Amino acid sequence: MSDSYDVVVIGGGPGGYAAAIKAAHLGQKVACIDKYINKNGQPALGGTCANVGCIPSKALLDSTWKFHEAQGELSIHGIDVGNVSMDVAQMIKRKDDIVAKQTGGVAMLLKANGITWLQGTGKLIAGKKVEFAPHEGDAQVLEAQSVILATGSSPIELPMAKLQDDIIVDNTGALEFTEVPKRLGVIGAGIIGLELGSVWSRLGSEVVVLEAMDTFLPMVDKQVGKEALKNLKKQGLDIRLSARLTGTAVKDGVVSVEYTDANGDQMMEVDKLIVAVGRRPITEDLFSVDSGVNLDERGFIFVNQSCATDVPGVYAIGDIVRGPALAHKATEEGVMVAELIAGHHAEINYDCIPSVVYTHPEVSWVGLTEEQVKAQGDEYKTGMFAFMANGRAVAANETTGFVKVVSDVATDRVLGVHIVGPQASEIIMQAVIALEFGASTEDLQLMVFAHPGLSEVLHEAMLDVDGKAIHSVKRKRRK
Ligand code: FAD
Ligand code: NAD
């Protein structure tokens, strides 16, 4: 094993492994160091996303939605599936098989691209060198022309809700319950709390979600957030806003959860508690004080728009730097820095990064919300169209929600698109393309959308900006 590389990447998540692959595509000699050990005690690539994040959570969301449909929703189609039951062990095994496939796929890609996978811990030291401590064997120092830091994030822990066996858990433990908890508490109505709360609620858990803030999904368009909250509550998620956790105690397998809300001190008992109150960047022991790398005021690695740190030739990407903690953002940053290292021009349009909450209905958005545009003092218009009035949505019995468009009055440019409804995670990509190309609402109004399709709701929302939606009885112009 050589100890000299063109590029050394520390972290093999969606940021790090994508950076490694792109750098290899561009002719560099690359090593990727990753320290993750999975629940079987094996090293595994793919980071949080593939092992305990995006992929396993979606596997469980898909399994449980099918169960939910089989339990009742299919009967409207005339399908009688009789008594339905869920084999939780099989559901978890399917999830584990999917994770194994994904992480194995990443390992295969690294191998196919001639990238050296170093299993252990990496640390940047002075002189742009990397200290590598393998899981087994002696540490060594690697020389590198360029270093990419991509160590991701870990769940924020609350001192008053310390993780305990499989009773008080974080997002990792919440993917591993061996049976459906009768009563499930969730701390934090963020994306993880809502997605994993939905998983267990669909299987029959009585789920209470405590959220410290008084606003539901504050980063989301207000109308979209209101519609999502209404539907999640209808599904049985008991979401309590302005409810701040103050303490927990575990006795005889039951968690007593103390919290305060507008009415004062409260207490509830649950069988399992998921703590999902945000994530923090993994920067401890990642760089020595004399490495030259600095943190920003929020504890992320300080980088510029191009993900360059204060040390020439050292970059940082993904969850350890500013911006949304999203896998696709990490990946695009990885690709960008690999291009920059190879001497090419590359940049990311941070205004066009989509977000999705994979609940039912799904919530997705890109660009500015109406509230943000209003706060900027710009003149804007909005258009809205409901899935209820769309033939494909009616045929699929998926009529909840709407698409909302925010556009600039002076230029007609689309500023933001916000969706709550079926396939919101897919439809939003059409909006991303529109924003990326600086499209006007008129551009999208004039395009032909296939019928019948859920995307027609996006088309009609664009038309509605000028009061021109075809399938709307309310044709008044909106602001
Ligand atoms: P990570 O994926 O965290 O990877 C970092 C890797 O570096 C890890 O393997 C870690 O072990 C390793 N490492 C850390 N320190 C060192 C070191 N010193 N030396 C060597 N290796 C080290 N995002 C989405 O976009 N869509 C989703 O649907 C989604 N769902 C999620 C669901 C859950 C439950 C969670 C927890 C997260 C989800 N995310 C989702 C967020 C997404 O997983 C992260 O944004 C993404 O994984 C960040 O990628 P990364 O490469 O920056 O870091
Ligand atoms: P989050 O920041 O989305 O939400 C955490 C919530 O917990 C906040 O609403 C916060 O107000 C609340 N909270 C904090 N302290 C509290 C307390 N003491 N009592 C009650 N509530 C409290 O964080 P998360 O859900 O842990 O997710 C972390 C990140 O992972 C997300 O920001 C997201 O970027 C990423 N993620 C993305 C997806 C996706 O893209 N679909 C899915 C899961 C996670």
Side-chain angles (χ1 to χ4, degrees):
M1 182 172 64
S2 160
D3 60 0
S4 173
Y5 296 90
D6 296 326
V7 180
V8 169
V9 184
I10 306 181
Y17 81 70
I21 292 172
K22 188 69 196 179
H25 284 177
L26 295 170
Q28 315 269 2
K29 183 182 173 195
V30 185
C32 180
I33 305 175
D34 192 275
K35 70 173 185 183
Y36 190 80
I37 300 286
N38 68 17
K39 65 177 182 179
N40 303 317
Q42 302 295 322
L45 288 162
T48 303
C49 168
N51 287 287
V52 291
C54 322
I55 303 299
S57 59
K58 268 78 247 178
L60 297 188
L61 281 160
D62 285 339
S63 293
T64 54
W65 187 252
K66 285 188 194 303
F67 175 72
H68 171 84
E69 285 190 313
Q71 267 191 321
E73 299 223 336
L74 290 182
S75 59
I76 197 166
H77 296 275
I79 303 169
D80 178 6
V81 290
N83 281 337
V84 184
S85 63
M86 172 57 94
D87 178 346
V88 175
Q90 168 55 25
M91 177 184 79
I92 299 291
K93 181 187 172 301
R94 189 191 88 98
K95 181 264 297 174
D96 290 343
D97 290 347
I98 291 164
V99 168
K101 209 177 261 179
Q102 292 298 116
T103 58
V106 177
M108 198 182 68
L109 280 173
L110 291 206
K111 194 168 173 213
N113 283 285
I115 297 161
T116 305
W117 171 17
L118 298 173
Q119 298 166 2
T121 304
K123 178 175 183 171
L124 182 77
I125 55 176
K128 211 174 49 181
K129 293 190 171 71
V130 174
E131 201 173 75
F132 166 54
H135 290 312
E136 281 167 23
D138 297 331
Q140 65 179 119
V141 173
L142 310 176
E143 306 271 347
Q145 292 295 317
S146 307
V147 177
I148 301 172
L149 308 175
T151 49
S153 61
S154 59
I156 292 175
E157 289 169 24
L158 293 178
M160 64 285 209
K162 284 212 179 313
L163 303 190
Q164 193 168 325
D165 303 322
D166 63 344
I167 296 183
I168 301 182
V169 299
D170 59 12
N171 58 272
T172 303
L175 299 167
E176 299 296 339
F177 293 151
T178 51
E179 53 189 50
V180 180
K182 186 169 179 318
R183 300 164 300 176
L184 174 66
V186 179
I187 310 299
I191 310 188
I192 293 181
L194 295 176
E195 290 186 355
L196 295 180
S198 292
V199 162
W200 296 104
S201 156
R202 290 170 191 173
L203 299 183
S205 287
E206 294 158 17
V207 179
V208 177
V209 185
L210 303 182
E211 168 55 52
M213 284 191 289
D214 59 359
T215 315
F216 180 68
L217 291 178
M219 64 292 204
V220 168
D221 177 274
K222 225 179 201 167
Q223 283 172 292
V224 167
K226 202 169 153 201
E227 179 72 13
L229 179 61
K230 187 180 84 188
N231 281 284
L232 291 172
K233 281 188 166 176
K234 212 158 87 186
Q235 277 165 37
L237 286 176
D238 179 352
I239 299 169
R240 303 180 187 171
L241 300 179
S242 303
R244 181 174 287 277
L245 181 75
T246 52
T248 57
V250 179
K251 199 172 163 212
D252 300 330
V254 173
V255 193
S256 307
V257 179
E258 290 167 9
Y259 64 99
T260 55
D261 65 13
N263 299 317
D265 293 342
Q266 308 290 342
M267 212 275 280
M268 67 172 183
E269 288 191 337
V270 293
D271 302 301
K272 304 271 183 202
L273 184 68
I274 301 174
V275 181
V277 292
R279 299 180 63 84
R280 58 182 189 81
I282 299 177
T283 55
E284 303 90 342
D285 264 344
L286 174 60
F287 56 92
S288 63
V289 274
D290 57 356
S291 66
V293 165
N294 293 303
L295 298 180
D296 67 19
E297 64 285 353
R298 296 181 55 219
F300 295 93
I301 304 270
F302 178 79
V303 288
N304 65 13
Q305 275 285 107
S306 305
C307 291
T309 68
D310 288 334
V311 184
V314 177
Y315 297 83
I317 59 171
D319 284 9
I320 50 166
V321 302
R322 80 287 176 267
L326 295 173
H328 42 285
K329 176 257 192 188
T331 297
E332 292 313 314
E333 288 181 336
V335 170
M336 173 180 74
V337 302
E339 292 276 14
L340 293 171
I341 287 168
H344 302 161
H345 171 80
E347 58 186 61
I348 289 177
N349 183 354
Y350 283 99
D351 295 335
C352 282
I353 297 178
S355 294
V356 179
V357 187
Y358 292 85
T359 47
H360 198 95
E362 291 181 339
V363 176
S364 66
W365 66 98
V366 63
L368 299 174
T369 62
E370 179 175 357
E371 293 75 35
Q372 286 169 327
V373 178
K374 196 186 275 178
Q376 288 177 4
D378 297 333
E379 267 210 275
Y380 66 93
K381 295 188 282 186
T382 62
M384 259 174 91
F385 199 79
F387 284 97
M388 183 91 78
N390 171 265
R392 187 79 181 94
V394 172
N397 200 35
E398 288 277 7
T399 51
T400 302
F402 54 84
V403 175
K404 175 173 173 180
V405 176
V406 185
S407 69
D408 184 70
V409 164
T411 62
D412 190 35
R413 196 172 166 152
V414 181
L415 300 174
V417 174
H418 309 272
I419 308 176
V420 50
Q423 303 282 335
S425 56
E426 300 297 330
I427 301 170
I428 198 66
M429 285 318 299
Q430 301 166 44
V432 172
I433 296 168
L435 260 77
E436 188 65 52
F437 284 87
S440 63
T441 61
E442 188 187 22
D443 288 329
L444 278 107
Q445 290 170 0
L446 294 173
M447 283 178 193
V448 182
F449 283 66
H451 175 79
L454 295 174
S455 299
E456 287 177 295
V457 179
L458 177 70
H459 190 208
E460 294 271 30
M462 293 288 169
L463 289 164
D464 187 57
V465 167
D466 295 319
K468 296 193 291 196
I470 297 294
H471 298 88
S472 174
V473 280
K474 214 166 74 183
R475 283 198 50 241
K476 75 173 173 31
R477 277 172 188 268
R478 292 199 179 89
K479 186 175 182 270

